[in-house]
Amino acid sequence: MGMADYKEKGNVRETPFGYTLSVVGGKWKMLILYLLAENQPVRFNEMKRKLEPITFKMLSSQLKELEADGMVRRKEYPQIPPKVEYSLTPKAETLLPVLEQLCEWGEKNRHN
């Protein structure tokens, strides 16, 4: 289905595209998913370092939203100090071909 199939909806947020953007939209979510796709599982502090200049609060918030949307799995280990790892869910892994296509598009067009 293409965008033309949803013209009668009137509001793009009510389309499948709108849903997709609600899950992966924003400054950090796709970067988090890309990082997890390349390096999972990833601990919180490692993710923070690789996503500089993201703040602890923003990273925590974005991870919670991705977890609520079923895209990220959070695994907490009962130890001191606490250890938490993040990885992609099977639902998020279905998005990886799209992320790969975006990477290919960026490679072809970033110097134009």
Side-chain angles (χ1 to χ4, degrees), residues 11-69:
N11 186 339
V12 73
R13 290 184 180 146
E14 297 174 16
T15 67
F17 182 74
Y19 168 75
T20 303
L21 284 184
S22 76
V23 174
V24 300
K27 183 176 180 178
W28 298 106
K29 288 182 180 178
M30 288 187 65
L31 290 170
I32 291 168
L33 293 171
Y34 180 81
L35 176 65
L36 288 172
E38 294 294 317
N39 303 289
Q40 61 181 331
V42 180
R43 294 179 67 176
F44 185 90
N45 285 333
E46 178 185 357
M47 197 176 308
K48 166 81 172 77
R49 280 191 303 276
K50 291 185 180 215
L51 293 172
E52 285 291 338
I54 195 169
T55 64
F56 283 101
K57 182 178 179 180
M58 180 58 73
L59 179 55
S60 178
S61 168
Q62 298 291 276
L63 285 167
K64 284 178 184 173
E65 288 180 22
L66 287 166
E67 186 179 9
D69 287 328

Side-chain angles (χ1 to χ4, degrees), residues 62-81:
Q62 298 291 276
L63 285 167
K64 284 178 184 173
E65 288 180 22
L66 287 166
E67 186 179 9
D69 287 328
M71 301 296 284
V72 169
R73 182 181 307 110
R74 180 182 191 270
K75 185 172 182 181
E76 188 172 339
Y77 296 90
Q79 65 186 49
I80 297 177

